[in-house]
Every structure is written in C-alpha cells, then in structure tokens.
Amino acid sequence: MQYDVIIIGSGPSGGMAAVVCAEAGLRVAIIEKEQLPRRKVCAGGLVKRAAQLLPEDLEFPIESICHQIALCLRGSEKQFIAERDSLVTMVTRTGLDYAIVQHAEKKGAVVLDGMEVKSVVPRDDQVEVTTDSDVCYGRFLILAEGAGARITNQFWTDDRMLAPAIESEVFLSSESMKAFQGIARFDFDAISSGYGWVFPKQDHISVGIAEFSKKKVALNNIFDQYKESLGILPEDHEQHRKGYIIPIRPRSGPYMKGRMMLVGDAAGFADPITAEGFTYALRSGTEAGSALARSGDPETVATLYHRAISEPIVKELNIIAQFSKPFYFSQMLRNMLFERYGERLCQGMANVIEGKNDYVSAVNKHPLLATLIRKSYSDGRKELKA
C-alpha cells in the first residue's frame, strides 16, 4: 500500500501526528504491533498544559481530576501543596491513546493494528516499511514507537538518558481511597535519586517510583518500602506491577533524517525533573504533522519541524536537565532546596503544569533562584569531592 505518511506507534505523539496529517488531506497509516485498544504502562497524569494541546472536539475517558499537587519530603512531615483548577486529569493510556487514534480514523487515517514492523528501508523518494503481513510505502515516516525505540535505534545513536521505573495499580477500600483523592502526589525521598508518585484513579491508585541516576538499585524492594510508607497494607489488592523506562534526556538530534522523523519518547522528549511526557509527545506529534501538511519537500519539512520544536521542546528540555541535577544528584542538595524554596518550587511547578509559565520563562523571571540552584549543585559537587 502507498501512503503519504506512515506512522509507527499509536501513542499520543503518533496519534496527534495522524490527526493533523489526515485533517490536511494526506493519506496516513498508523502501524501498531498490538491489537487496539491496547494496555500501556504509564502513570496517566495528563497535566493541564498537555490537555490544552488535544483537539477541542476530542472525547476521551477520564478517571479523575486533581486540583492539587503535593510535593512531599520525609513522608508527610514536609509537604508543599499548590491548588488550581484541573491541574492534572487522570487517564489511562488505553483510553486516551485509543481515543486519539479513533479521532484520526474519523479524519481519514488508516489504522493497521496487530502488525509488527520487521524492517524499514529509507530510499530517496520514499520509505519502505515491511510488517509481518504486508509491505507499505510512504513518502515520509514518523517514528513514534515510544521509549523502546527498536526501529529508531537502527538509524539514530541512542544518547538519551533512560530512567527505570516500576508502577502498579493498588485497589483500596473506599475509606482508604479518600486520603489520596484529588491530589497528584510526588514523594522526593521515596528513592535516593528519583521520586515516587501516587495518582488517584476512579477505583484505584497508580503507585510508582523512578530512579534517575545510572546506579543499579533494587527497584522492587524500594517499591515495596514505598508502598508501606504510604500505609498500603499487604492485603490491599495490587495488580499489573510492571517495569518500564522513561527518557529523561533527549537525543542530541537532528530529529529528522531524510524522510524519517522522530517524535515523543523515541526522540527522548520528556521532562527530566518530573518525567512528564504527554506535553512533549502531543506537541512534537502536532508539529511533525503540521510540517508535513505544509510541504512535501524533505529539506523544507526538516526546517519547519526543527524550527517548531527548537524553543518549546529541545531548548526547554536542555534547561530542565540542568536544574534536575540538584534534585537527583544528592539527597543533601535536594533537601536543602526544599527547606529553603519548597513553597516557591511547588507554586512554580503548578504554574508550569497549568500552562501559565514554561521553564525557559521561569528561569528568565527568577534569575537569582536559578543562580542559587546552579550554585548549590556546584558547591555540593565540591563538598562530595573533598
């Protein structure tokens, strides 16, 4: 089959690229190895600024809505809370991803699910994609295959930083659920170089931890300790415990080679502090689709795409990477930052989540705090070396 655009992967980035391309009248195919709808491990916290990037007429299932975020240190002893309207909409990836794909189908996209890609051969005038049941040809290929990036890594050097994580669903009594409802909770002392989270869903909580350093840790043991610290009892039913990886540093680029483009986790587009990826997945997918809708010339498409993602994605993620070091390099530095600036950090994070601010603007608006954070990281490194 011949298409204008082939997209490998049916997550938010691939789905949004398909929506934009199909709306522009391009012949689009989404290839997904699983039968849809499929289950996908993810915390499922759709922050407000990401939700604003979805099509206005898109309907998707909502598990719950959190009007508060809580940044916690030493359990509940040190807790900073920010409250705004609909800060985080809790979803499942099964529901959200499938809703976007169905939306793309309504616009004219073709969905080829249950088909695994076996090989990709880029040519001067098109890209050949061979699956286990067919051969497809596209003028352009968007790689939206997620953090695993099996195909992507055949054509790009994988210099992303990947954080191992574990998550599961825990079903509590209605009384115990009350303690977690309405709050997206982040515990920055749940693990030495990362954080734990509790996201309340309709009938359960999603509990997880992520380790942001390169050292090896016993994640399962730490996860069990974290659950215990939350008051989760052995008899509370847990299901779907699974490990996965989260990109917390993007590839160095370029994000388009020939007729192939990278979006979302495959490109490494996720927040190095919070590991939030919806915002960058939706934005990169939208911008990739917009570039293809505007031109059929590979060089022009590459220019349009790189220009569109340079400031709001690549530059922002590189800035965040600098400021993630004090949080995850040393518990001492992180604790000091929370002691001195915890309330300001919490409100600042809420501003970013809400879309009222971005990291680049925040750094420009608070140069003194930015300097202090950099200095604390530099001083901490010197102390540890001494």
Side-chain angles (χ1 to χ4, degrees), residues 351-367:
N351 286 339
V352 170
I353 286 174
E354 199 173 13
K356 285 188 174 181
N357 211 345
D358 56 47
Y359 287 100
V360 177
S361 301
V363 169
N364 293 334
K365 188 176 180 181
H366 301 288

Side-chain angles (χ1 to χ4, degrees), residues 16 73 91 204 292 376:
M16 279 305 299
L73 202 62
V91 299
H204 66 277
L292 290 168
S376 69

Side-chain angles (χ1 to χ4, degrees), residues 215-290:
K215 62 188 178 184
K216 293 183 178 180
V217 295
L219 274 184
N220 267 302
N221 292 340
I222 297 171
F223 183 75
D224 287 332
Q225 293 168 10
Y226 179 49
K227 282 175 51 188
E228 185 177 349
S229 74
L230 294 170
I232 296 173
L233 304 174
E235 56 265 30
D236 291 323
H237 177 59
E238 177 189 341
Q239 67 179 25
H240 299 309
R241 181 186 294 205
K242 191 169 183 179
Y244 60 111
I245 52 175
I246 306 170
I248 53 172
R249 187 178 66 196
R251 294 179 195 266
S252 52
Y255 302 102
M256 183 169 178
K257 289 184 178 181
R259 294 177 175 272
M260 300 186 296
M261 309 173 75
L262 293 184
V263 294
D265 282 356
F269 294 157
D271 187 326
I273 290 181
T274 66
E276 188 268 316
F278 279 127
T279 299
Y280 306 101
L282 295 169
R283 180 164 283 159
S284 62
T286 298
E287 297 297 355
S290 296

